[in-house]
Amino acid sequence: MRRFAIPALTFGIFAVSTGAIFARLADAPPLAIAAFRLTIASLILAPLAFIYRRHEIARLNRKDFLYTFSAGAFLAVHFGTWITSLSYTSVASSVVLVNTIPIWVGLAALFMGEKLSKLTWAALAISVIGGFLVGYGDFSIDTSALWGDFLAIIGGIAVSGYVILGRKVRQKLSLLTYISLCYGTAAVLLFIANILTGGGVIFSAYTWLMFLCIAIVPQLLGHSCYNWALGYFSAGFIAVALLGEPIGSSVLAYFLFDELPTPIMFSGFAFLMFAIVIAAMGEQKDYKEQ
């Protein structure tokens, strides 16, 4: 099945790139968007998990539950902060800053003992350069934009924890078991946060359509594809590969919202693509040596 991992990851990144667009198009508070993104996805997954994976779920030990629910908590923080950041800053800045994942994954790897190849470490460094170039090109001194940038960075730190924990759990659990429990945990936490902050549950038919789109395309298809890929690749490689998301999101934002990236941002995109290629080479080298 490993031969399908790269195509699945590529499709997943394209699907995830639509997340910021659907979030912008939805006429609802940020926490409501995050909550219903995960809630709808969880409601679709729950019957499948009960039918096909209830015995696996019943056999999970305390450590597996802890890792899975912790990953769900990180995912809730990620969506809560990142989708909120889209209300304050541009799609390009938000998506790039939330994808500073390689910085946090790389730092975490030093403490958790996960082995990364030299090529992957080089890709992490290159991706950091690309991320800063893109962020600098769209950076604003406006107070509200700075707050949005800060929230996006918090979202990046949170999703790094989600990726690292997912890597550990996915080596033992099936994809359906993992995502049903992980997404479900995030959905409950975000739904509670939405209610406590007065986000509401009554919206227009158009907004519900956007909720459905964001639940199916970037969440069920996008996130599930790279969660499946976590069973075959390192967290560092997944983190770098996900930097393809800012490219897709920025292109879509240009056509839909007339947000044109600056020349320095385009140079950053080139660094990011190079980092993805280098990371892929490092992952293939590690696999051949195993």
Side-chain angles (χ1 to χ4, degrees), residues 14 80 89 123:
F14 171 77
T89 190

Side-chain angles (χ1 to χ4, degrees), residues 8-9 11-19 37-38 41 45 71 74-76 78-79 82 99 101 159 162-163 170 175 178-179 182-183 214-230 238 242 245:
L9 183 59
F11 174 79
I13 292 168
F14 171 77
V16 169
S17 298
T18 66
R37 169 176 178 158
L38 271 300
L45 290 171
F74 275 117
L75 187 62
H78 161 66
F79 281 125
W82 170 61
N99 278 287
I101 306 168
V159 79
Y162 164 62
V163 169
R170 273 290 290 122
L175 175 65
Y178 173 65
I179 63 175
C182 183
Y183 295 177
I214 199 172
I216 292 177
V217 181
Q219 190 62 44
L220 283 179
L221 296 179
H223 275 252
S224 297
C225 277
Y226 75 71
N227 273 318
W228 180 75
L230 278 170
I238 295 294
L242 286 175
E245 180 186 354

Side-chain angles (χ1 to χ4, degrees), residues 56 61 102 118 122 167 187 210 213 233 265:
E56 182 182 5
N61 59 41
K118 292 181 179 179
R167 167 65 175 174
M210 293 301 102
C213 289
F233 300 122
M265 292 176 71

Side-chain angles (χ1 to χ4, degrees), residues 50-239:
F50 178 77
I51 295 171
Y52 297 107
R53 291 291 182 268
R54 62 180 181 273
H55 298 300
E56 182 182 5
I57 294 173
R59 292 194 300 267
L60 293 180
N61 59 41
R62 183 178 300 179
K63 185 176 181 180
D64 291 333
F65 268 119
L66 177 62
Y67 278 162
T68 303
F69 291 150
S70 296
F74 275 117
L75 187 62
V77 174
H78 161 66
F79 281 125
T81 54
W82 170 61
I83 292 180
T84 302
S85 76
L86 291 167
S87 299
Y88 298 95
T89 190
S90 69
V91 168
S93 282
S94 175
V95 177
V96 167
L97 291 173
V98 82
N99 278 287
T100 50
I101 306 168
I103 301 174
W104 317 117
V105 169
L107 291 175
L110 296 176
F111 299 98
M112 299 182 67
E114 181 170 345
K115 183 180 179 181
L116 300 178
S117 69
K118 292 181 179 179
L119 284 174
T120 302
W121 276 112
L124 293 176
I126 295 169
S127 68
V128 170
I129 296 173
F132 275 115
L133 283 173
V134 176
Y136 178 79
D138 193 55
F139 206 76
S140 172
I141 60 173
D142 180 74
T143 304
S144 63
L146 291 175
W147 174 242
D149 294 337
F150 172 74
L151 289 174
I153 291 173
I154 297 300
I157 296 173
V159 79
S160 300
Y162 164 62
V163 169
I164 292 170
L165 289 172
R167 167 65 175 174
K168 288 183 175 294
V169 178
R170 273 290 290 122
Q171 293 176 357
K172 300 174 61 178
L173 304 183
S174 66
L175 175 65
L176 181 57
T177 296
Y178 173 65
I179 63 175
S180 61
L181 293 175
C182 183
Y183 295 177
T185 300
V188 170
L189 294 175
L190 285 168
F191 196 84
I192 293 173
N194 175 56
I195 296 300
L196 291 177
T197 56
V201 295
I202 301 175
F203 304 100
S204 67
Y206 168 79
T207 295
W208 279 107
L209 176 61
M210 293 301 102
F211 287 166
L212 185 62
C213 289
I214 199 172
I216 292 177
V217 181
Q219 190 62 44
L220 283 179
L221 296 179
H223 275 252
S224 297
C225 277
Y226 75 71
N227 273 318
W228 180 75
L230 278 170
Y232 300 92
F233 300 122
S234 68
F237 174 73
I238 295 294

